[in-house]
């Protein structure tokens, strides 16, 4: 059986020499002294200054223990010399600084301090009777991730065990370390905010003079010019150029879209509404999942599985909320279609992947996703138009095509988890009445 070994420092020779050196700085020592200079403040727990060169660490702790009348115990393997220069430090700060300079750790006890060697097994330096065990519930975070973080902050000899199915962590640590772990868990496992994502995915048919898409800079300015006076970013391309743009939506955009809708140039592809937690991806898919076979051969064993190709109108949004109430979003809208050629899936898609920031309730427009469709239309007299050679005299062929621009309008809103406004007043009134009734019943019980 292994026993814990402590050395209680009690010699005062060095301490007396230091006081003498402080009182008579001109006196030269008879032999080389390890204490170059030292200033000892008589008041207990007052700031103290130490300057030592190549001094045994046991003597330094002995001096502090005698002067401050505090118990300092040295564990097994705590040896060696250190050089320290400490100015205006409290005794507690000096103890931790000297231990750190020697590569050791400090354990706080009710009756003082224990200096331990990290290289020694924990069972040899931490008595088991001074440890506490507590089960803590993890409500909102991943238990394994929380356990990995807490394990880095437990004291020496402490450990963290995770129970994933119960969403709990079991912590073993000293009473002081347990308080630190509980406070850290409260900071980590905080309730996330809920965000409502309202999106509109629209397809606009472009005219012949809109080869580069809608001139959104004119729509945002509202005066036909290129000056964008509203808050937000102008886009990823120069005004009037082709490419992807995004901006904050104002009333001019709503008016413009309504005008296009009356002309039949706007087609609504999807209008999803998603409620999600911050830092969690919300996904909606209005379309098809095309299945195809995947054959795998390994060690002459062939297996066949079915995988799916997702196509259609897909929207993926991952929101997060900063300290000022602004909402940062990673947005990935996609409009795609899939085909198969020889059993191999092929996907035709129009998508964008971007990150942006919006105020609570502020709409964001993402545009500039242009898609062109080309085709050949042939008309003619039945039968005669299909005769080789002569068919051209009885038929006509023309090239057809159209261009569309895909836009996405996203409006994020923070959904409060507690009642606000009139609802909050009702809840407060009910709680106040409940407290009054409880006080009344308590008073009646006391009189009886």
């Amino acid at each position: 059986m292994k026993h814990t070994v402590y050395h209680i420092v009690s010699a005062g020779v060095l301490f007396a020499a230091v006081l003498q050196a402080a009182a008579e700085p001109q006196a030269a020592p008879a032999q080389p002294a390890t204490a170059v200079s030292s200033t000892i403040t008589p008041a207990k727990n007052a700031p103290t200054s130490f300057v030592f060169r190549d001094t045994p660490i046991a003597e330094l702790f002995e001096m502090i223990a005698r002067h401050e009348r505090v118990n300092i115990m040295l564990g097994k393997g705590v040896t060696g010399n250190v050089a320290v220069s400490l100015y205006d430090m409290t005794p507690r700060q000096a103890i931790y600084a000297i231990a750190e300079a020697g590569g050791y750790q400090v354990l706080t006890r009710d009756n003082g301090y224990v200096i331990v060697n990290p290289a020694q097994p924990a069972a040899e330096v931490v008595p088991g009777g001074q440890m506490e065990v507590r089960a803590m519930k993890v409500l909102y975070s991943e238990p394994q991730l929380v356990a990995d973080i807490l394990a880095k902050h437990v004291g020496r000899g402490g450990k963290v065990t995770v129970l994933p199915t119960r969403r709990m962590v079991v912590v073993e640590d000293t009473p002081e370390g347990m308080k630190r772990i509980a406070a850290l868990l409260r900071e980590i496992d905080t309730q996330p905010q809920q965000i409502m994502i309202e999106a509109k995915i629209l397809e606009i048919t472009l005219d012949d003079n809109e080869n580069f898409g809608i001139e959104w800079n004119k729509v945002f300015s509202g005066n036909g010019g290129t000056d964008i006076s509203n808050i937000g970013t102008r886009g990823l391309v120069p005004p009037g150029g082709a490419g992807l743009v995004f901006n904050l939506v104002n009333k001019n955009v709503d008016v413009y879209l309504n005008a296009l809708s009356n002309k039949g140039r706007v087609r609504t592809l999807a209008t999803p509404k998603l409620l999600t937690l911050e830092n969690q991806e919300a996904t909606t898919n209005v379309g098809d999942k095309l299945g195809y076979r995947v054959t795998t051969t390994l060690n002459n064993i062939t297996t066949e599985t079915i995988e799916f190709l997702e196509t259609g109108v897909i929207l993926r949004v991952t929101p997060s909320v900063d300290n000022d109430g602004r909402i940062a979003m990673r947005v990935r809208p996609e409009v795609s279609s899939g085909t198969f050629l020889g059993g191999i899936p092929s996907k035709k898609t129009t998508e964008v992947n971007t990150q942006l920031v919006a105020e609570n309730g502020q709409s964001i427009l993402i545009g500039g996703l242009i898609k062109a469709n080309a085709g050949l239309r042939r008309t003619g007299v039945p039968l005669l138009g299909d005769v080789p050679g002569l068919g051209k005299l009885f038929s006509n062929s023309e090239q057809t095509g159209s261009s569309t621009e895909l836009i996405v309008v996203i409006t994020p809103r923070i959904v409060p988890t507690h009642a606000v406004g009139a609802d909050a007043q009702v809840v407060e009134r009910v709680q106040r009445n409940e407290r009054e009734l409880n006080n009344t019943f308590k008073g009646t019980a006391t009189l009886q």
Side-chain angles (χ1 to χ4, degrees), residues 84-385:
V84 293
S85 300
L86 309 177
Y87 298 97
D88 297 330
M89 278 193 173
T90 63
R92 176 185 175 89
Q93 293 173 338
I95 292 172
Y96 276 86
I98 294 172
E100 183 178 357
Y104 303 117
Q105 295 179 353
V106 180
L107 301 181
T108 304
R109 294 292 180 262
D110 295 336
N111 58 344
Y113 303 90
V114 179
I115 314 301
V116 300
N117 187 349
Q120 294 295 325
E124 296 185 5
V125 296
V126 181
Q130 298 180 353
M131 304 293 285
E132 290 185 0
V133 179
R134 185 186 304 178
M136 300 180 180
K137 189 74 173 178
V138 181
L139 299 177
Y140 307 107
S141 307
E142 290 294 332
Q144 184 60 56
L145 181 60
V146 171
D148 294 340
I149 296 175
L150 297 182
K152 299 178 181 179
H153 297 276
V154 294
R156 182 166 180 80
K159 62 180 180 179
V160 179
T161 305
V162 61
L163 302 176
T165 57
R166 298 290 303 277
R167 299 190 63 85
M168 298 179 67
V169 290
V170 179
V171 181
E172 181 180 359
D173 204 348
T174 60
E176 181 180 352
M178 194 67 70
K179 295 179 181 179
R180 182 177 65 253
I181 292 298
L184 180 60
L185 180 60
R186 286 194 298 269
E187 292 291 333
I188 296 175
D189 193 34
T190 57
Q191 180 178 354
Q193 298 201 56
Q194 296 185 115
I195 298 141
M196 173 67 74
I197 305 294
E198 298 182 6
K200 296 179 181 178
I201 304 178
L202 309 175
E203 188 179 62
I204 302 177
T205 303
L206 302 178
D207 290 338
D208 294 336
N209 58 350
E210 296 175 333
N211 294 329
F212 297 105
I214 305 296
E215 296 186 30
W216 293 108
N217 57 321
K218 295 183 179 180
V219 176
F220 280 107
S221 62
N223 54 13
T226 59
D227 180 28
I228 300 178
S229 58
N230 65 302
I231 300 174
T233 165
R234 299 180 62 178
L236 303 181
V237 292
L244 173 66
V245 297
F246 61 92
N247 209 319
L248 302 181
V249 175
N250 57 19
K251 61 181 180 180
N252 297 330
V253 176
D254 295 333
V255 174
Y256 184 76
L257 292 178
N258 289 332
L260 292 180
S261 179
N262 294 333
K263 296 179 181 180
R265 294 177 56 189
V266 177
R267 184 165 69 100
T268 302
L269 301 182
T271 57
K273 293 184 179 181
L274 308 173
L275 182 62
T276 182
L277 297 176
E278 61 175 329
N279 301 317
Q280 298 293 328
E281 185 182 67
T283 305
T284 179
N285 185 354
V286 182
D288 300 323
K289 288 187 177 182
L290 306 178
Y292 58 95
R293 291 185 176 88
V294 177
T295 303
T296 304
T297 302
L298 181 62
N299 296 331
N300 295 328
I301 299 177
T302 302
T303 58
E304 187 177 78
T305 59
I306 302 296
E307 296 188 4
F308 294 90
L309 178 67
E310 292 187 358
T311 61
V313 181
I314 305 173
L315 178 64
R316 299 179 179 89
V317 183
T318 304
S320 60
V321 182
D322 62 12
N323 295 331
D324 297 326
R326 292 186 295 265
I327 304 174
M329 295 180 292
R330 293 193 297 270
V331 186
R332 184 184 173 188
E334 173 186 328
V335 178
S336 58
S337 59
T339 57
F340 288 92
L341 181 61
I344 300 176
S346 177
K347 187 176 183 179
K348 185 178 182 180
T349 180
T350 301
E351 64 178 314
V352 62
N353 192 348
T354 185
Q355 299 184 29
L356 45 87
V357 178
E359 297 290 342
N360 183 24
Q362 176 66 61
S363 298
I364 296 290
L365 181 141
I366 302 174
L369 302 174
I370 301 175
K371 181 174 63 175
N373 297 318
L376 178 65
R377 183 173 62 183
R378 185 172 181 272
T379 59
V381 178
L383 299 179
L384 295 179

